[in-house]
Amino acid sequence: MPILTLAAKDLRLLLRDPRSAVILLVTPLLLILVLGLALGEGFGEKPDDRLRISVVNLDRGLPGKVPFPEKPWSEVVIDDMSATQDIRLEIIRDRGEAERLIAKNRRAAVIVFEEDFSERMHRCSFLTSADSVNPFGRDGVRLNQLGASLLNDRTQPVSASIIEQVTQVTLLRVVIPWMIGKAFARVGDEKFMELVANRLNGVKPIAPEVLQELDPVVQKLLVALTSDKDFPKIVLDEFRATKGSNFFKASEDALVIANRKGEFQRAVHKAFQNRAIMERVGKDVAFGEVLTPSVQKQVGPTVKRGVGDLFSNYNFEATRWSDLVKSDTREGVAANRIEYHDTAGSGVLNRGALRYQILVPSYTVMFAFFLVLSVGWLFVGERKHGTMVRLRAAPLTRGQILLGKLLPCLAVSLLQGAFLLAAGQLLFGMTWGSRPELLLPLVASTSFAAVGLAILVASVARTETQVAVYGTLLVLVLGGVSGSLMPRDLMPEQMKTISLVTPHAWALDAYNQLLATPAPDISAVLTACAALCAFGAVFTALAWWRMDLE
C-alpha cells in the first residue's frame, strides 16, 4: 500500500536523525535525573497548612483489662492530638527510622512512646504511695517519668519547640483529669476518713470553745432522750437494780429524776458555758474520738458531695478532659492520622522518591510535544529536496499523504512514551500505580494529540528556523501553562481551569490519577483520553486543511 510505503520511508528518516533521539529520549531523562537529585523531599506532596507531628508508638499497653482506658494510653494521647484539625499526626513504626530522619534533618522532632508508657501513665497519681508516678515538674510534664521521650533536631529549635509544647499541652489534657479523678474517688472513702480520724486523734485536748459550741447539740440530745416514752422505764429499772428490795425508795428517786429533767438540762447548759469546766472536761478527749467508724461512713460521702457542689463547674470524678471541664468530647479524627512513608527515595538516584511520580509523567507529556521539532525538520527537508512536489505528482490524495506522514510520527511518539515510563520504573523506582493497563490508552491518546500538533506546525513552518522558533516557543508555553514545568497542585484553581485548554493538562490529570492516587477515578482517566483524542483530531484536521505540498 502506498500509505505504508510512505510511512516506512518517513520512519527511517525519523530514526536516522540523531537530533530526534537526543530531544525525545536523552534530554527528558537528563532533566528528570537532575531535578530528582536537586529537589527536596517535599516536592510533589500536596500543600498542607497543618502542623506535622511524628510519633513512634512502642507502647505495649496494660497487661490486664481495666475500666479505663479501653485502649493503650498512647492511643488515648494520639486520639487527643488528632482531634485538633490543625495537626496532622504521622505514625512512624520504627525508632531507628525516626532517629535517621532526625539525623538527616528531615524531622524537627519525633515523640517516642516507650513500651511501658501505659503502665507508667496508669500509675500517675496525686496520692502518696510506693508505686505512684508524679509526672509534673517545673517545666510541665516530665516525659521521662511517663516512659516517653522527644527526639529533636538541634538545627531546627523553633519547630522542635512548637512540637514539644503541643505534646506538653496534650499530655496535660490527658493526665490531669485521670489524676484528679483518682484523687477525688478517695475523698470521703473509708480509708480517707480513717486517715482523718487518726490525724485528729493526735489533737488533744479539745478546746473549751469547741465544747461550748457543742452545747446546742447536747441540749437537743437531752431533750429528745428525756422526752422519749421508754426513758422513764429505763431510769426506774436502773434505780430498782441499785436499791435492791426497797421498791418504793427506787420508785421515788426515779420519779424525782423524771420530774426534774428541766433543771438537769439547764445545769448541763450552764456547765458547757463554764470555760473552766470545759477545759477540765476536754483535756483527755481527742478530736478523732468523735469520728467513730459509723460517723466516718456517714460523713465521708457527704464530704465528697460537698466538694463537688463547691466546684460545680467541674466534674472531679471524670477521667477525660472534656468530662472534667463539662465540654464537648474530643474524638480522634482518623483523617488526621497518616502512616509514615519514605518519600525521599534511596540510593544515589533517590530511587522510589515521590518526586519521580510527578517528574516522569510531567516530562513524558512535555517531550511528547517536542516531536513538533523533529517532524517540522523532516517536512522542511522534504520541501528542500522536492519530495513534496513528487508526492503531489504521485497518484495519492492529500489524506493519504497526511496519513502516511502521521503513522510513523505516531509510532515514534508511542515508542518515546513507553521508553520514558519504563525508564522511570527501572532507573528511578517510579511505580505504575494500581491500574498500569490504563497507561496504554493514555500514552496512545497523548501521542495522537502530540502528533496532530506536530503535523500542524510542520504544515505551517517553511524553514528550519521557523520550525525551531514556532516549535520551541509553542512547546514551552504550553508546558508552562499546563503544569508540566511545575506540579499542578501548586497552581491556583483558576489557573488549573484555564490550563485545560492545553492537551498537556488533560494528560497530566490522567497521569496523576493513575500514578499518584491509590484508588484512581477511572471515569476521569477515560474522559482525559477522550479529550486528548479530540485535540489530536482537531490538530490533524487543521493540518490537512493547511498542508501545502508545494
Side-chain angles (χ1 to χ4, degrees):
M1 291 179 62
I3 294 177
L4 295 180
T5 303
L6 182 59
K9 183 265 297 181
D10 281 359
L11 182 61
R12 287 195 298 272
L13 291 176
L14 283 171
L15 296 179
R16 194 182 302 166
D17 185 0
R19 294 177 299 181
S20 298
V22 172
I23 292 175
L24 301 180
L25 301 179
V26 178
T27 304
L29 279 182
L30 287 177
L31 281 174
I32 293 170
L33 174 62
V34 171
L35 291 174
L37 295 175
L39 293 173
E41 176 194 359
F43 181 82
E45 292 188 356
K46 292 184 178 180
D48 195 342
D49 294 332
R50 293 175 294 178
L51 173 66
R52 178 176 61 189
I53 296 184
S54 303
V55 176
V56 176
N57 187 8
L58 306 176
D59 184 18
R60 59 172 176 255
L62 294 169
K65 211 170 183 182
V66 293
F68 180 84
E70 304 85 5
K71 58 181 74 173
W73 274 105
S74 56
E75 290 295 329
V76 176
V77 176
I78 289 173
D79 281 347
D80 188 275
M81 282 187 179
S82 67
T84 303
Q85 292 297 330
D86 294 331
I87 290 178
R88 180 181 65 172
L89 214 60
E90 178 187 55
I91 308 300
I92 302 175
R93 294 300 177 185
D94 180 60
R95 185 190 183 105
E97 182 68 20
E99 292 174 345
R100 184 180 69 83
L101 292 173
I102 292 292
K104 291 189 174 182
N105 311 118
R106 292 172 56 190
R107 295 295 183 274
V110 178
I111 306 165
V112 180
F113 296 123
E114 306 292 353
E115 293 183 353
D116 60 346
F117 180 77
S118 283
E119 181 186 348
R120 287 175 172 267
M121 275 287 296
H122 214 66
R123 290 193 284 119
C124 288
S125 178
F126 290 118
L127 304 174
T128 302
S129 64
D131 65 340
S132 65
V133 172
N134 174 22
F136 300 122
R138 184 194 67 179
D139 298 323
V141 178
R142 297 181 291 181
L143 298 180
N144 62 320
Q145 292 295 312
L146 294 178
S149 58
L150 188 70
L151 309 177
N152 55 67
D153 179 10
R154 297 183 183 276
T155 66
Q156 305 180 66
V158 176
S159 298
S161 297
I162 293 173
I163 294 173
E164 182 179 8
Q165 290 307 309
V166 171
T167 305
Q168 285 283 333
V169 171
T170 301
L171 288 173
L172 286 172
R173 277 199 303 262
V174 171
V175 75
I176 284 181
W178 167 245
M179 293 174 64
I180 290 177
K182 287 174 66 175
F184 191 71
R186 293 291 308 276
V187 174
D189 72 356
E190 184 177 344
K191 290 185 177 181
F192 175 83
M193 296 306 296
E194 183 181 343
L195 177 64
V196 172
N198 291 336
R199 292 287 186 183
L200 292 176
N201 278 334
V203 181
K204 268 187 179 182
I206 295 181
E209 54 269 19
V210 175
L211 293 175
Q212 289 173 345
E213 291 175 359
L214 290 176
D215 178 36
V217 178
V218 173
Q219 291 298 317
K220 286 183 180 180
L221 290 174
L222 285 176
V223 170
L225 177 63
T226 56
S227 301
D228 191 86
K229 61 184 181 62
D230 292 330
F231 181 71
K233 184 178 181 302
I234 294 174
V235 173
L236 182 59
D237 290 342
E238 285 298 317
F239 272 88
R240 285 175 179 174
T242 56
K243 296 298 182 178
S245 60
N246 193 344
F247 175 79
F248 293 104
K249 180 62 176 173
S251 299
E252 183 180 351
D253 291 344
L255 185 60
V256 170
I257 293 295
N259 291 334
R260 305 299 295 272
K261 60 184 180 181
E263 290 87 342
F264 178 71
Q265 293 168 4
R266 288 192 292 274
V268 171
H269 173 65
K270 289 181 179 179
F272 266 86
Q273 298 305 312
N274 189 310
R275 184 177 181 85
I277 294 176
M278 291 299 100
E279 286 181 351
R280 293 192 295 271
V281 170
K283 67 179 182 178
D284 294 323
V285 181
F287 270 99
E289 296 178 62
V290 179
L291 288 176
T292 63
S294 297
V295 173
Q296 294 173 20
K297 289 182 180 179
Q298 294 293 323
V299 172
T302 305
V303 170
K304 177 179 285 190
R305 287 194 297 272
V307 174
D309 292 341
L310 184 62
F311 302 97
S312 59
N313 289 333
Y314 301 91
N315 176 18
F316 289 136
E317 294 181 299
T319 52
R320 293 181 175 88
W321 182 263
S322 56
D323 297 331
L324 172 65
V325 299
K326 296 185 177 180
S327 66
D328 295 336
T329 303
R330 289 174 59 88
E331 298 291 346
V333 180
N336 288 347
R337 297 173 59 168
I338 61 171
E339 293 285 339
Y340 165 74
H341 296 289
D342 188 1
T343 60
S346 59
V348 177
L349 298 180
N350 296 324
R351 293 188 76 255
L354 177 63
R355 68 199 76 161
Y356 290 120
Q357 299 296 118
I358 305 296
L359 292 174
V360 172
S362 293
Y363 286 96
T364 296
V365 170
M366 182 173 174
F367 276 86
F369 288 86
F370 264 99
L371 192 65
V372 168
L373 299 178
S374 298
V375 175
W377 289 326
L378 177 63
F379 269 59
V380 169
E382 289 194 330
R383 285 195 180 97
K384 281 184 178 181
H385 294 92
T387 305
M388 287 294 190
V389 176
R390 289 193 292 271
L391 285 175
R392 184 180 181 186
L396 295 172
T397 65
R398 178 177 294 195
Q400 289 176 317
I401 295 174
L402 181 63
L403 188 58
K405 297 291 185 182
L406 187 146
L407 288 178
C409 298
L410 183 61
V412 170
S413 184
L414 290 172
L415 176 64
Q416 177 203 33
F419 172 80
L420 292 178
L421 289 176
Q425 185 183 59
L426 295 175
L427 296 179
F428 308 120
M430 180 196 77
T431 65
W432 285 352
S434 58
R435 299 294 300 272
E437 72 278 5
L438 294 179
L439 291 173
L440 295 176
L442 179 55
V443 170
S445 56
T446 303
S447 296
F448 180 51
V451 169
L453 183 61
I455 296 293
L456 176 59
V457 173
S459 66
V460 174
R462 315 297 290 179
T463 65
E464 289 190 352
T465 302
Q466 289 180 353
V467 169
V469 173
Y470 296 163
T472 304
L473 183 61
L474 184 62
V475 170
L476 291 178
V477 169
L478 291 177
V481 172
S482 65
S484 295
L485 299 177
M486 63 180 294
R488 284 178 57 76
D489 286 334
L490 300 180
M491 297 173 65
E493 289 300 323
Q494 185 178 10
M495 192 61 192
K496 286 183 183 179
T497 304
I498 295 174
S499 68
L500 293 177
V501 301
T502 69
H504 305 57
W506 290 94
L508 290 174
D509 283 344
Y511 273 118
N512 181 66
Q513 286 290 335
L514 294 177
L515 301 181
T517 306
D521 185 350
I522 306 303
S523 62
V525 175
L526 296 179
T527 300
C529 290
L532 288 167
C533 290
F535 275 109
V538 171
F539 292 150
T540 302
L542 291 175
W544 177 85
W545 172 70
R546 184 63 183 82
M547 181 176 289
D548 185 1
L549 299 179
E550 294 296 335

